[in-house]
Amino acid sequence: MSNNKTLEGEWDYIIVGGGTAGCVLANRLSQDGSKNVLLLEAGGNDNYHWVHIPVGYLFCIGNPRTDWMMKTANEAGLNGRSLVYPRGKVLGGCSSVNGMIYMRGQARDYDGWRQMGNAGWGWDDILPYFKRSEDHHKGDSDLHGAGGEWKVTTQRLNWEILEAFQEAASEFGYQPVDDFNAGTNEGSGFFEVNQNKGVRWNTTKAFLRPAMKRGNLRVMTHANIERIVLEGKRASGVEFTHSGERIEAKAKHEVLLCAGSINSPKILELSGIGRGQILSHHGIDVVHESKGVGENLQDHLQIRTVYKVKNTRTLNERANSFFGKMAIGLEYALKRSGPMSMAPSQFGLFTKSDPSLETPNLEYHVQPLSTDRLGEPLHPFPAITVSVCNLRPDSVGSSHITTTDSAVQPDIKLNYLSAESDKLVAVESIKQARRIMSAKRLREYEPEEFLPGPQVASHDDILREVGNIATTIFHPVGTCKMGSDANAVVDPSLKVIGLEGLRVVDASIMPKIVSGNTASPVIMIAEKAADMIKADAR
C-alpha cells in the first residue's frame, strides 16, 4: 500500500454501500444539484447476465462474482450446522440476487416500532414512503403508488399444482387475498415481484442509473471501506482501499452507512465504535462506546418440507429433461416468461401457529420444485416444496469482528431456535403444512411426504429434523437497532447516538424484524432517511 491520499473534490455526503438502501439515497440526495454525493461500493458492477434473468439467483448465490460468500457460525439449534449466508456483492446489493418478492410486512410491525419509542415510524407514518417509490401494476390507490422507480408486477407463469394448493388451504379457512401489502397479510395468494417484463428490477436500475447522469454524483466500485474517520465525536469522512491505494474521502455534512446488517456493524467496530470489550480484545481504541453494535441480530429461519406428487407437472421433470430445458430457454427468449422468469417462490400463504395470535406469524413459500439444498440439482421426481418460516422469532444473535482485517467476514451467530417459543412454532409449522397437504383438493396428486418424512412424528423427532432441514431465508436485520434504550445504536432519525455526522440507513436499524420479506422495507427506510437528511441540511 502507498501512503494515504485524499480523493479529489469535496463531498457533502458519502454513502458507504451501493446496495438496496445506498442506491435509493444516492438518487434522492443527488436531486439537489448543490450537493455533491460520493457512493462507495466494495463489490463490482451488476453487469452480469445472471443478475438480470430472474432464475439467475441460483447462479448468483455461491458465486464469488456476486456473493460475499459468508457463512454462519455452527448453530446448536441446527444440530451444529453452519449455513451459507449469501450477501450481494454488486451494485444493488441483495436486490440484485434476492427472490424479488415485493412485501412490506404488517402494520403492527411498524406500530410496534413506534410503541418502542421510535416516533415517526408507525404504519401511517411510513406508508407514504412505500408509495413514493412504487410503480404498482394496478396503478395509484390509497395503498399503492404509480409512476415511482420501484416496479411491482405479477409473475409471468402459472402452475396447476400451486392453484390446487391455494384451494386446499381454503379447506382449512385460509382464504385467498388480493393484496399481501395492505397492512395485514393473512391469507393466500401469488406473490407480486420486482420485475420489469420478465427481467429482475433491482435498485441499480430503479434508482442509481438514472441518478448517475447527474454531474454531482460519483460512484466508485471495488472500494473497500477500512474505517470511518472521526474527529472527536464527529464523522469527517472515510478511509478505503481502491486499486492498491489507501484513500481518504472527506464528508462536509454526513457519512451514511448503508453496508447492511452484517457489514455496517463490522465497519463501525473497525472504526472504534461499538462494545468496548470487543474492540479492546482486537487492539482497537474505543473512540465511542455503543454496546448495541452487532447485537440484536434477527433472521427468518425457513423449514423446507418436500412432497412428491403425481398427475401434474413440476419444474423438476422439465429442468431434468434436455427438451424441457430447450423449451424453457426458448420461452424466455421469445416471451420473457416461463420458469426462467420466475422468482424462487411463486405462491405465498400467511397463517397463525396459534389461533390466539393477533396477526399471522407464519409465511409459506410454496414452490413447484424441490432440491436437497438451494443451488443443487433438482430432484429427479415430480415434487413441490412447502417452506414455512416463523415471521417473528424470539431467538436473537450477534455479528462481531474477529480481526482488524476488513476483508474477513464477522462471526455471524444467529442462535436459531435458541428460544423455546421458536421451537414450539417450528414443530407446529410442520404439523400445519401436513394438514394442508392432506386436503381433499390435493388427493388427485397423491402427495407423499419426502422431507422430513411421515416417520418423523413426535415433538422431539420433528424438532431434531427441523434442525437438519431448516435454513435461512436471508433476512438479517437489527444489528444497529433504532431506539432510546441502552443497546440502541441509532435514534429515530437514524443518527448514531452520541456522534455527529453519521447515520446508519439499512436493515440493521430495525429494532424488530418485519413480518415478511425485507427488501422493500429497506427502500422505505432509505426514502424516509433521505427526507430527514435533507431537512437537517436546510
Side-chain angles (χ1 to χ4, degrees):
M1 292 285 183
S2 62
N3 292 330
N4 282 22
K5 77 173 189 178
T6 301
L7 191 67
E8 291 182 7
E10 184 178 57
W11 310 100
D12 292 285
Y13 303 109
I14 298 176
I15 302 169
V16 176
T20 304
C23 288
V24 177
L25 280 185
N27 183 301
R28 298 304 187 226
L29 297 180
S30 65
Q31 286 174 338
D32 181 349
S34 69
K35 299 292 189 294
N36 290 321
V37 180
L38 174 66
L39 174 64
L40 300 172
E41 164 57 36
N45 209 307
D46 67 336
N47 56 353
Y48 179 48
H49 64 285
W50 285 125
V51 166
H52 307 290
I53 299 172
V55 79
Y57 71 93
L58 290 170
F59 307 101
C60 290
I61 291 175
N63 181 343
R65 177 170 178 172
T66 50
D67 181 4
W68 285 108
M69 306 289 286
M70 295 183 184
K71 289 186 176 182
T72 70
N74 295 332
E75 291 285 333
L78 303 184
N79 301 331
R81 290 186 297 135
S82 168
L83 299 183
V84 171
Y85 214 60
R87 298 284 86 199
K89 193 184 176 183
V90 294
L91 287 172
C94 289
S95 77
S96 295
V97 300
N98 69 3
M100 296 162 283
I101 292 174
Y102 180 72
M103 191 67 60
R104 296 171 174 174
Q106 299 171 4
R108 75 174 302 280
D109 299 330
Y110 303 101
D111 289 342
W113 291 6
R114 182 176 57 195
Q115 289 162 10
M116 293 169 69
N118 297 298
W121 288 93
W123 172 253
D124 292 339
D125 301 310
I126 56 88
L127 180 58
Y129 291 107
F130 277 115
K131 291 179 62 178
R132 172 192 286 178
S133 53
E134 192 177 19
D135 187 14
H136 197 271
H137 63 97
K138 289 185 178 179
D140 189 53
S141 68
D142 290 343
L143 289 168
H144 293 285
E149 294 87 352
W150 196 228
K151 294 185 181 297
V152 180
T153 187
T154 57
Q155 299 190 60
R156 299 162 70 90
L157 74 167
N158 58 72
W159 299 88
E160 174 191 77
I161 188 65
L162 299 185
E163 294 170 357
F165 186 94
Q166 183 173 40
E167 294 171 14
S170 68
E171 293 181 26
F172 297 89
Y174 309 130
Q175 298 302 319
V177 293
D178 292 330
D179 189 355
F180 281 141
N181 293 295
T184 177
N185 44 23
E186 188 164 7
S188 70
F190 290 85
F191 288 122
E192 295 174 323
V193 291
N194 299 120
Q195 292 183 5
N196 184 29
K197 299 177 181 178
V199 176
R200 176 189 291 274
W201 193 250
N202 61 1
T203 56
T204 314
K205 295 173 187 172
F207 298 95
L208 187 60
R209 290 226 173 86
M212 288 174 69
K213 299 174 184 177
R214 302 169 186 154
N216 61 331
L217 171 64
R218 180 174 178 181
V219 177
M220 293 182 68
T221 56
H222 303 292
N224 185 61
I225 304 298
E226 298 291 335
R227 66 185 182 100
I228 297 162
V229 178
L230 294 165
E231 294 181 359
K233 291 290 186 176
R234 178 174 184 82
S236 61
V238 298
E239 190 178 282
F240 63 99
T241 54
H242 186 268
S243 299
E245 291 186 302
R246 190 178 294 268
I247 303 171
E248 184 175 335
K250 296 180 183 283
K252 183 178 178 182
H253 289 303
E254 295 192 46
V255 174
L256 306 166
L257 188 52
C258 306
S261 291
I262 305 302
N263 282 326
S264 281
K266 179 183 83 170
I267 292 169
L268 289 175
E269 289 180 338
L270 291 174
S271 307
I273 304 166
R275 192 176 287 256
Q277 182 180 5
I278 291 172
L279 302 183
S280 299
H281 177 74
H282 295 291
I284 298 173
D285 291 336
V286 182
V287 179
H288 180 68
E289 175 88 16
S290 182
K291 294 181 179 180
V293 171
E295 297 293 312
N296 193 49
L297 176 59
Q298 302 158 56
D299 189 16
H300 290 141
L301 182 72
Q302 70 167 344
I303 305 167
R304 299 176 63 255
T305 70
V306 173
Y307 288 81
K308 294 182 178 180
V309 293
K310 297 178 180 178
N311 308 316
T312 189
R313 67 188 181 108
T314 71
L315 186 59
N316 286 11
E317 59 270 26
R318 294 188 69 184
N320 284 319
S321 157
F322 173 77
F323 291 107
K325 288 178 181 177
M326 292 293 290
I328 289 171
L330 186 62
E331 181 178 2
Y332 188 75
L334 295 177
K335 300 180 180 180
R336 291 292 185 267
S337 63
M340 287 187 72
S341 73
M342 77 183 199
S345 300
Q346 295 79 56
F347 181 79
L349 173 66
F350 290 83
T351 68
K352 301 172 184 176
S353 64
D354 183 329
S356 68
L357 292 172
E358 176 190 355
T359 60
N361 67 324
L362 298 179
E363 178 180 8
Y364 286 74
H365 294 79
V366 188
Q367 305 155 325
L369 55 87
S370 68
T371 178
D372 287 336
R373 292 177 184 81
L374 187 66
E376 294 189 2
L378 300 183
H379 288 139
F381 46 79
I384 64 171
T385 298
V386 183
S387 290
V388 58
C389 68
N390 180 355
L391 291 172
R392 295 193 288 275
D394 291 321
S395 301
V396 176
S398 63
S399 179
H400 293 292
I401 58 171
T402 61
T403 173
T404 56
D405 184 348
S406 64
V408 176
Q409 76 151 72
D411 182 23
I412 305 169
K413 295 178 179 177
L414 278 302
N415 297 331
Y416 292 122
L417 301 176
S418 57
E420 289 299 318
S421 57
D422 292 350
K423 295 176 183 178
L424 293 173
V425 171
V427 172
E428 179 54 33
S429 298
I430 296 284
K431 293 178 178 179
Q432 190 178 95
R434 285 173 170 170
R435 287 195 291 271
I436 296 172
M437 291 303 296
S438 71
K440 294 178 181 179
R441 178 65 182 87
L442 294 175
R443 287 178 184 172
E444 67 180 280
Y445 305 110
E446 302 178 37
E448 177 187 350
E449 185 176 331
F450 180 71
L451 285 176
Q455 75 282 0
V456 180
S458 71
H459 176 96
D460 289 344
D461 286 348
I462 292 174
L463 191 59
R464 183 190 65 249
E465 286 306 306
V466 166
N468 289 333
I469 64 176
T471 187
T472 176
I473 204 166
F474 320 128
H475 295 163
V477 309
T479 50
C480 299
K481 79 166 190 173
M482 172 174 58
S484 56
D485 60 280
N487 286 321
V489 177
V490 300
D491 64 19
S493 66
L494 307 189
K495 296 176 181 177
V496 175
I497 297 169
L499 295 176
E500 296 180 4
L502 179 62
R503 295 189 212 224
V504 182
V505 185
D506 55 34
S508 71
I509 66 95
M510 295 185 185
K512 292 287 288 184
I513 195 166
V514 294
S515 302
N517 307 70
T518 52
S520 292
V522 169
I523 291 175
M524 175 277 294
I525 289 168
E527 288 277 24
K528 183 171 172 61
D531 271 8
M532 294 188 290
I533 294 164
K534 289 178 178 180
D536 282 354
R538 293 191 188 118

